[in-house]
Amino acid sequence: MSFFDPHILPSDITPKAVFENRRNLIKAAAAGSFGMALAPWFSRQALAASPEKLAATLNAAYATKEELTPYKYVTGYNNFYEFGTDKADPAAYAESLQTRPWTVSIEGLVKKPMTLDIDALLKLAPMEERIYRMRCVEGWSMVIPWDGYSLSKLISKVEPLGSAKFVEFISLADRKQMPGIKSNIIDWPYREGLRMDEAMNPLTLLTFGLYGEVLPKQNGAPVRIVVPWKYGFKSAKSIVKIRFTEEMPKTSWSQFDAREYGFYSNVNPQVDHPRWSQASERRIGDAKGAFAPKIKTQMFNGYGDQVASLYSGMDLKKFY
Ligand code: MTE
């Protein structure tokens, strides 16, 4: 299954020459001459930019200086299983997602449960741009300018009870809008969760946009979570519910296989996935072809200064 095989890359199934010269690739794509040899995420209509701008101010305290992953990869090479399991599927099929009207209900162990319209949620706090490294469990990574604000700002509005220990994020699951829901790979809806202190950490971003524009649908419009020190699957897309619980919530991937996907899923080069190493990653970008050579993965994806203290005293091999 594509999600689980980090070893088969488009560069492996595409003639090497195609990757060596981007200009030729684009020309060839325009002429339609590559047929099936072309990486699937290039050959489809993947790259329709959303024109709607978001006014966000760059927060330099949360902005890695690394080279940004080009927009076309950020929006053309995605995991969003509600639209299919191929990396090109979300860009090809997510157009059917209706992002208005959209509400997010915040419920469970809080003093002030509320259902917020997406446009009210957008205005709840000043919009910031944060440039985060993102590491997928499959072994690739990107550097993405996200637009949003710390989830903690929303959490403080609803006033969690002392008994609230975890936060659960639930994505939309609508068969009519999401063709991937017919597959039973995941027990829909997609669910993810964080411990309360992780959710309150200022790095955890309630995200509405990227590259200064509203989120393209394939990236989880109209609102998603971004948790940059954890593997990408913790960052649930197109969320409709945020629930505060006492018990650790069951999450989609740990339900799929608890041995392979733990609740914490902190990026950790020392803990291998049972079927592959997590010590290195490929940074997706076009400087050296579609996939750059492997680089070393950093503990907590390089965010140790901000988050290592959350896990002091925990055995991260056991709580993976
Ligand atoms: N959220 C939902 N609802 N469904 C998904 O399939 N995939 C996850 C995560 N959030 C997923 C999801 C995975 S595996 C990754 S790597 C990131 O979204 C990818 O986000 P991106 O496409 O914006 O890079």
Side-chain angles (χ1 to χ4, degrees):
M1 171 186 333
S2 58
F3 187 95
F4 304 104
D5 195 338
H7 309 293
I8 300 173
L9 297 169
S11 52
D12 297 330
I13 53 171
T14 304
K16 194 157 171 277
V18 171
F19 279 82
E20 278 165 1
N21 189 323
R22 188 168 143 253
R23 186 175 287 171
N24 284 349
L25 172 66
I26 291 165
K27 264 200 251 158
S33 59
F34 275 106
M36 291 309 289
L38 193 65
W41 43 278
F42 247 114
S43 60
R44 297 195 196 165
Q45 226 201 342
L47 310 172
S50 161
E52 211 182 312
K53 301 282 177 217
L54 273 183
T57 311
L58 182 71
N59 184 335
Y62 299 100
T64 171
K65 303 277 187 300
E66 288 153 273
E67 201 176 320
L68 300 183
T69 302
Y71 184 88
K72 63 172 182 266
Y73 297 116
V74 175
T75 59
Y77 188 83
N78 304 101
N79 280 326
F80 197 171
Y81 275 24
E82 288 85 337
F83 295 98
T85 56
D86 191 283
K87 295 289 183 279
D89 286 341
Y93 303 120
E95 210 34 57
S96 54
L97 177 66
Q98 298 300 311
T99 58
R100 294 290 187 287
W102 190 282
T103 57
V104 178
S105 76
I106 304 142
E107 53 185 61
L109 302 174
V110 292
K111 252 188 229 143
K112 295 183 177 161
M114 49 182 84
T115 297
L116 287 172
D117 183 77
I118 186 66
D119 293 307
L121 196 58
L122 264 160
K123 291 189 207 111
L124 194 103
M127 197 65 64
E128 292 174 22
E129 184 150 278
R130 311 258 187 104
I131 303 173
Y132 283 164
R133 279 181 292 277
M134 303 297 292
R135 169 67 154 80
C136 180
V137 72
E138 295 168 271
W140 48 268
S141 60
M142 299 193 190
V143 177
I144 303 177
W146 296 111
D147 304 300
Y149 53 78
S150 289
L151 176 67
S152 64
K153 302 217 164 121
L154 172 63
I155 294 180
S156 51
K157 289 257 184 267
V158 298
E159 298 182 30
L161 303 175
S163 52
K165 301 282 185 282
F166 294 92
V167 191
E168 188 180 14
F169 305 100
I170 299 162
S171 298
L172 179 75
D174 181 353
R175 228 165 240 281
K176 290 198 266 337
Q177 303 181 46
M178 300 171 136
I181 299 270
K182 63 181 181 296
S183 112
N184 58 4
I185 291 180
I186 285 174
D187 182 16
W188 311 106
Y190 193 97
R191 269 162 297 128
E192 257 311 332
L194 295 172
R195 214 171 56 190
M196 197 66 173
D197 56 350
E198 298 177 320
M200 287 299 286
N201 186 280
L203 275 173
T204 302
L205 198 69
L206 192 65
T207 305
F208 302 88
L210 58 83
Y211 269 105
E213 296 176 357
V214 298
L215 279 173
K217 292 176 177 177
Q218 60 267 36
N219 292 88
V223 60
R224 68 177 293 175
I225 297 296
V226 171
V227 194
W229 73 95
K230 292 176 180 280
Y231 292 116
F233 67 85
K234 298 294 291 180
S235 296
K237 294 177 165 180
S238 304
I239 54 176
V240 290
K241 206 174 276 185
I242 300 178
R243 189 189 289 144
F244 291 76
T245 64
E246 187 157 11
E247 304 293 322
M248 182 182 277
K250 289 200 166 54
T251 62
S252 297
W253 288 109
S254 60
Q255 272 194 316
F256 177 85
D257 189 335
R259 214 176 57 86
E260 299 201 350
Y261 307 98
F263 177 81
Y264 287 94
S265 287
N266 292 316
V267 173
N268 188 342
Q270 289 147 29
V271 176
D272 289 341
H273 183 279
R275 289 186 284 127
W276 58 81
S277 162
Q278 291 293 19
S280 63
E281 65 201 53
R282 279 175 207 270
R283 184 64 53 83
I284 292 182
D286 61 356
K288 295 193 177 81
F291 290 87
K294 287 201 161 189
I295 55 173
K296 272 191 169 174
T297 289
Q298 301 179 68
M299 187 65 201
F300 299 118
N301 205 23
Y303 296 99
D305 286 353
Q306 290 103 308
V307 300
S309 63
L310 300 176
Y311 310 102
S312 57
M314 275 174 76
D315 177 354
L316 295 179
K317 287 207 160 73
K318 190 165 160 212
F319 298 102
Y320 53 86

